[in-house]
Amino acid sequence: EGKKKARESCSLPEPPWEERLANAVTPLWRLPYQEQLQVKYESQRKILQTLASRLEELGIDAQKPGGLCCPLQPVVPSPIINGYRNKSTFSVNRGPDGNPKTVGLYVGTGRERNIVCVKANHVHNVPSKHKQIAQCYEEFICRSPLDSCILFHEGGHWRELVVRTTTRGHAMAIVTFHPQQLGQEALAAQKALLKEFFTCGPGAVCALTSLYFQESTMTRCSHEQSPYQLLHGAPHIFEELLGLKFRISPDAFFQVNTAGAEVLYQAVGQLCQATGDTVLLDICCGTGTIGLSLAHRVSKVIGVEVVEKAIEDAEWNAAFNGISNSEFHSGKAEAVLPELLASWEDSRPLVAVVNPSRAGLHYRVVRAIRNCRSIRRLLYISCKPEGEAMRNFLELCCPPDPRKKLAGEPFAPVLAVPFDMFPHTVHCELVLLFTR
């Protein structure tokens, strides 16, 4: 007991909450940017070493210089280092002062039961516009007689806020609300108050392009599960990327770092080695950004995406930009792709680009790619290559396996290019080129 007290008395005081949040959300924020890039290079090198050793276990000679599975290029820096995020998700929970209507980001974990919601004012990667909208939302819910919804079963209503912005100056706010037992009349009254606050009240300083409201009884709801209700402004915001104009819906995927995405997509175009007769297969295509940005270099773009609204955006984006050599398919990739590729008889070279979520690709998607002889070149873009993507890498490269209906010849990793899409964090976007 005496030793414990002595340790406690000489331990350093806890840093301020803002600093603790910055350490949690942006762990590299204190390092000069070149040092951040070096940290990320080392982490990507370890991932490629791990992949090499895992391939060795499968009987594949994959050891290259340095124990890597393929050459690793230096991390491509982000053109913008601070305030680069075009999308932020703010939580509502108890703040350090006990205010249950604090709008910010979490310090702590649910497992440890020590979650504190801290304002994001000092977080480097969140732009000032997002912080302003979060502050206004907090002011609104603090005025509201309705409680915040921290735990669903304990009641309360006001929940998270999503902010999306573009380099064109557009701003979209999406407020999530748990209806609990409120009737339609009471819900309509809350929506009217929210709209009034952001159009005529103190929130008008945010100059929102779009204000959405979603009634949600789950942690995350898609538009199909619970529609996004437009309370004010335009249904979409717009972004420009590589000379093209893109329409963005509330739940459509768009790379979180717009300037970084331009650099990434230009590199993807070079790595594809696409020619005028190439067909580009864009799997998990979101609003079509990758495929459409490369459409002028290929004969055809085929996009596949699970989010229906994103496909609507992709089709609009193609039409608006005068791109006529693209087609988009809505549905789960594991349902759409096997059907699409099973009957593939096109003699044109087929290059695949996959950009899945952290959950990686479904096995049926990998199998469809492996079993399609026309695909000789594959670009895998991953924001978490050490996670489920690693499983996909092994599935792409392992020997044929009749038991798993994996007949096609294996791919081999030939080049890795990391992109820093997330300065100040430990994350990196890795582009891994596979050929066969």
Side-chain angles (χ1 to χ4, degrees):
E1 187 67 30
K3 283 181 182 176
K4 184 183 172 189
K5 281 185 178 174
R7 273 202 312 271
E8 284 174 358
S9 66
C10 66
S11 64
L12 293 169
E14 285 277 20
W17 281 105
E18 291 82 1
E19 204 173 310
R20 285 158 76 176
L21 177 63
N23 293 340
V25 177
T26 49
L28 306 182
W29 69 281
R30 295 177 189 277
L31 290 182
Y33 190 53
Q34 285 306 314
E35 286 183 36
Q36 292 188 29
L37 294 177
Q38 194 54 40
V39 168
K40 295 188 184 201
Y41 179 84
E42 289 304 319
S43 69
Q44 299 305 303
R45 198 169 64 81
K46 284 175 184 165
I47 289 164
L48 295 186
Q49 284 175 334
T50 301
L51 178 54
S53 61
R54 297 285 297 275
L55 290 171
E56 292 279 331
E57 289 167 12
L58 295 173
I60 301 162
D61 180 18
Q63 294 279 358
K64 300 288 184 292
L68 308 183
C69 63
C70 64
L72 172 65
Q73 291 194 353
V75 181
V76 179
S78 172
I80 297 171
I81 299 167
N82 293 323
Y84 58 82
R85 290 192 66 92
N86 56 38
K87 181 182 179 184
S88 299
T89 301
F90 298 98
S91 300
V92 178
N93 212 310
R94 284 183 185 84
D97 60 356
N99 174 15
K101 291 181 173 180
T102 302
V103 176
L105 306 174
Y106 284 158
V107 176
T109 63
R111 188 179 295 170
E112 298 285 328
R113 297 191 174 185
N114 62 349
I115 284 179
V116 178
C117 195
V118 182
K119 292 181 187 184
N121 296 342
H122 301 282
V123 179
H124 286 343
N125 61 354
V126 178
S128 55
K129 184 73 173 177
H130 294 206
K131 295 170 184 175
Q132 179 193 43
I133 296 169
Q135 186 56 48
C136 284
Y137 179 53
E138 181 176 309
E139 187 181 334
F140 171 77
I141 64 174
C142 283
R143 292 179 175 200
S144 171
L146 299 185
D147 291 337
S148 56
C149 177
I150 293 172
L151 296 171
F152 290 178
H153 63 275
E154 289 183 2
H157 301 277
W158 299 113
R159 293 189 48 234
E160 72 179 25
L161 166 77
V162 175
V163 178
R164 304 189 75 153
T165 51
T166 69
T167 55
R168 296 165 60 91
H170 297 171
M172 176 187 286
I174 307 152
V175 168
T176 311
F177 184 90
H178 197 309
Q180 302 291 359
Q181 309 305 317
L182 290 185
Q184 285 306 309
E185 205 174 306
L187 275 169
Q190 292 309 314
K191 287 186 269 189
L193 288 168
L194 185 65
K195 177 183 175 180
E196 183 186 13
F197 180 86
F198 276 104
T199 54
C200 314
V205 296
C206 299
L208 293 179
T209 314
S210 313
L211 175 61
Y212 274 98
F213 184 86
Q214 189 188 38
E215 297 164 36
S216 176
T217 56
M218 296 186 286
T219 306
R220 285 276 187 281
C221 262
S222 67
H223 175 77
E224 287 73 33
Q225 292 166 317
S226 178
Y228 291 96
Q229 303 167 43
L230 183 65
L231 301 188
H232 163 71
H236 308 96
I237 54 175
F238 295 88
E239 186 55 282
E240 281 181 11
L241 200 73
L242 297 174
L244 301 178
K245 187 176 178 181
F246 290 96
R247 184 179 95 170
I248 303 169
S249 291
D251 60 344
F253 172 78
F254 199 90
Q255 283 285 356
V256 80
N257 179 341
T258 305
E262 288 199 307
V263 176
L264 172 66
Y265 296 165
Q266 282 172 320
V268 166
Q270 290 164 356
L271 291 168
C272 279
Q273 291 188 353
T275 58
D277 62 343
T278 302
V279 176
L280 180 70
L281 187 58
D282 187 0
I283 303 166
C284 313
C285 68
T287 55
T289 45
I290 294 178
L292 294 178
S293 67
L294 300 178
H296 66 289
R297 299 168 67 157
V298 299
S299 63
K300 189 177 186 180
V301 171
I302 301 171
V304 178
E305 169 62 44
V306 67
V307 179
E308 280 180 40
K309 285 286 177 187
I311 286 293
E312 286 177 23
D313 286 347
E315 288 170 343
W316 185 94
N317 293 335
F320 182 84
N321 290 289
I323 296 169
S324 55
N325 62 336
S326 63
E327 65 180 56
F328 295 95
H329 300 262
S330 174
K332 289 183 177 178
E334 61 267 28
V336 175
L337 202 67
E339 202 175 303
L340 197 68
L341 294 180
S343 57
W344 192 264
E345 291 177 352
D346 200 313
S347 60
R348 292 175 291 183
L350 184 59
V351 174
V353 175
V354 301
N355 187 14
S357 67
R358 291 183 179 187
L361 293 172
H362 193 283
Y363 178 70
R364 286 205 292 268
V365 176
V366 176
R367 190 170 64 192
I369 291 169
R370 278 280 302 256
N371 294 347
C372 179
R373 288 181 183 154
S374 299
I375 301 176
R376 315 301 300 169
R377 200 171 187 88
L378 168 74
L379 279 173
Y380 195 119
I381 305 170
S382 174
C383 60
K384 196 176 182 184
E386 73 277 17
E388 290 302 309
M390 184 66 73
R391 169 179 55 83
N392 289 160
F393 301 157
L394 298 172
E395 291 164 348
L396 286 165
C397 300
C398 69
D401 188 342
R403 291 169 306 162
K404 295 181 179 178
K405 299 180 182 176
L406 203 64
E409 67 175 294
F411 284 86
V414 294
L415 183 67
V417 189
F419 291 79
D420 185 20
M421 302 288 280
F422 319 99
H424 308 302
T425 76
V426 294
H427 303 294
C428 216
E429 196 93 4
L430 182 67
V431 177
L432 203 47
L433 171 62
F434 293 90
T435 61
R436 59 178 175 176

